[in-house]
């Protein structure tokens, strides 16, 4: 009976701690795609920009938007749209390095944080992601769906803050969309 009591004294707190850790992790993940969500993005971006500014290391940000996503939702349905989002996120995740972090910003837009990465590396990685998304054929609800993505890349300038870095990546993304889509543009 004493051993059972001691086991319960150890097991229940451990189980509660594990459940708490899992709940915290789930609060920072997008439930559809499994990548980090916007809440995780806000704190991570702030920390990484501060670190890059303090130590003078390069930092890049890439904004990704699935091209013509509304058309996919409208013609094939939201379940197919969800399937495409999951597949695009998986393609992006498989293209990045273990030190890079991907976030679902909202809708069909993703943000990729590239620590210790300057302009050339960021553009190369963004192009690799774009090519992988374009090359993949997604089977969703028994239909073959093709998808492409537009990406905008911005590199942190000396003393720059999160808002201006994000804004420049977003502007580069919208330039990519306005200049034909399925391409990468640098801020």
């Amino acid at each position: 009976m004493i051993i059972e009591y001691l086991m319960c004294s150890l097991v229940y707190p451990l189980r509660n701690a594990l459940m708490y850790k899992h709940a915290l992790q789930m609060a920072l993940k997008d439930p559809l795609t499994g990548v980090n969500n916007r809440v995780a993005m806000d704190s991570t971006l702030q920390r990484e920009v501060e670190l890059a500014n303090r130590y003078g290391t390069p930092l890049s940000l890439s904004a990704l938007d699935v091209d013509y996503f509304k058309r996919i939702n409208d013609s094939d349905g939201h379940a197919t749209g969800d399937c495409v989002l999951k597949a695009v996120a998986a393609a992006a995740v498989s293209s990045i390095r273990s030190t890079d972090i991907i976030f679902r910003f909202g809708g069909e837009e993703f943000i990729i944080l590239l620590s210790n990465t300057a302009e050339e590396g960021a553009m190369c990685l963004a192009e690799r992601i774009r090519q992988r998304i374009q090359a993949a054929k997604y089977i969703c609800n028994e239909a073959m769906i093709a998808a492409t993505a537009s990406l905008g890349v911005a590199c942190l300038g000396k003393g720059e803050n999160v808002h201006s870095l994000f804004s420049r990546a977003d502007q580069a993304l919208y330039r990519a969309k306005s200049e034909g889509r399925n391409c990468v543009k640098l801020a």
Side-chain angles (χ1 to χ4, degrees), residues 63-98:
L64 178 155
D65 191 80
V66 180
D67 295 330
Y68 303 110
F69 184 73
K70 183 174 176 6
R71 230 187 260 171
I72 294 169
N73 267 346
D74 291 348
S75 64
D76 298 304
H78 291 281
T80 300
D82 286 351
C83 177
V84 169
L85 284 177
K86 287 190 260 187
V88 165
V93 166
S94 70
S95 301
I96 63 175
R97 304 164 301 183
S98 62

Side-chain angles (χ1 to χ4, degrees), residues 37-165:
N37 66 18
R38 193 170 176 168
V39 173
M41 183 189 79
D42 291 339
S43 61
T44 303
L45 276 179
Q46 186 64 42
R47 182 188 71 238
E48 291 296 321
V49 166
E50 287 174 7
L51 285 171
N53 280 328
R54 180 182 303 143
Y55 297 110
T57 56
L59 179 73
S60 297
L61 190 70
S62 182
L64 178 155
D65 191 80
V66 180
D67 295 330
Y68 303 110
F69 184 73
K70 183 174 176 6
R71 230 187 260 171
I72 294 169
N73 267 346
D74 291 348
S75 64
D76 298 304
H78 291 281
T80 300
D82 286 351
C83 177
V84 169
L85 284 177
K86 287 190 260 187
V88 165
V93 166
S94 70
S95 301
I96 63 175
R97 304 164 301 183
S98 62
T99 56
D100 302 328
I101 308 170
I102 186 166
F103 307 92
R104 183 171 178 205
F105 184 66
E108 69 276 10
E109 191 167 345
F110 296 87
I111 302 297
I112 302 135
L113 179 63
L114 310 167
S115 296
N116 207 19
T117 305
E119 180 180 307
E120 184 180 340
M123 289 296 288
C124 181
L125 183 69
E127 181 60 26
R128 183 169 63 228
I129 292 169
R130 186 200 66 75
Q131 288 174 359
R132 186 160 290 166
I133 290 169
Q134 180 184 17
K137 299 297 179 224
Y138 309 110
I139 299 173
C140 299
N141 299 327
E142 300 178 11
M144 184 75 78
I145 306 290
T148 60
S150 300
L151 292 95
V153 175
C155 302
L156 186 68
K158 188 172 182 166
E160 187 174 20
N161 65 32
V162 171
H163 301 293
S164 61
L165 175 64

